[in-house]
Amino acid sequence: MNNGYFKYYKSSVLVSLLVILGISLFLAKDYWGLSFSIVSVITGLLFVIDKWLWKTRLFSWMFWIEDFSGRYEGYLEYEYRDDKCVVKKGKLKHVKIIHQTGSKITVFSFTQKPDGTPSSVSESLGLHVDKTNGDKHFELIYSYLNHGSTEQNFSPHYGTEIIKVIGTHKKKISGRYFTERLPYLTKGIFKDMKWISKNEEHEF
């Protein structure tokens, strides 16, 4: 139960729920002579929980993760070595938008140049979640793909981010990243990343 569609569910809760639902539906079907598919009803209920109900107070206890969804804003401090091996550093405004359901978390990231225009967008791949600091915080580890931008002369590249989500209401994000972007490999850290709103709309 730790992988796939149910990886964020509490295993014991999920098994108990499926057993109780199965038995209840079977008894109801037999008692009232109803005609329906038990598997279809359970599948439909799980779909509704996954898409909409998972973050409500009534159903959130079924999951061991918290609701990370929303828009976070802060800064990215980057570093790379140029073709003369000189270290170049800088700081840009950074935005992360986390889309989340009961079974999937996707992180979209982009930076904003001084003139306010957004950079090319990164989308998380293969995300893994762990609890840290005595189960008080959550660490998200994922690779991402950035398709680059011909207009900005950014080449497509893969990278890895390790971020920690702190707090329960006004969440904060800290962490670091590194990339394989050519011609210069880059790395950096995220600073002062704060949850702004539940709005998952974006500029791209």
Side-chain angles (χ1 to χ4, degrees), residues 1 31 47 49 53 57-58 66 71 92 99 136 142 184 199:
M1 296 279 182
Y31 183 79
F47 176 81
I49 292 173
L53 301 181
R57 184 173 298 179
L58 184 61
E66 294 182 2
R71 182 185 181 97
L92 292 171
H99 292 272
K136 293 181 180 179
Y142 52 89
Y184 314 117
N199 186 4

Side-chain angles (χ1 to χ4, degrees), residues 54-55 65-73 95-101 104-110 122 124 127 129 140 142 161 163-165 171-173 193 195 197-202 204:
W54 66 274
K55 54 186 174 183
I65 61 170
E66 294 182 2
D67 180 7
F68 309 125
S69 61
R71 182 185 181 97
Y72 299 76
E73 294 184 2
V95 178
K96 290 188 182 299
I97 299 172
I98 301 181
H99 292 272
Q100 186 173 356
T101 67
K104 186 176 181 180
I105 300 171
T106 305
V107 183
F108 295 94
S109 305
F110 63 94
S122 299
S124 63
L127 188 144
V129 182
L140 280 61
Y142 52 89
E161 291 190 356
I163 62 175
K164 182 180 291 185
V165 183
K171 293 181 172 62
K172 298 180 180 180
I173 285 178
M193 293 289 301
W195 183 90
S197 71
K198 272 298 195 182
N199 186 4
E200 297 179 18
E201 297 298 323
H202 41 68
F204 46 87

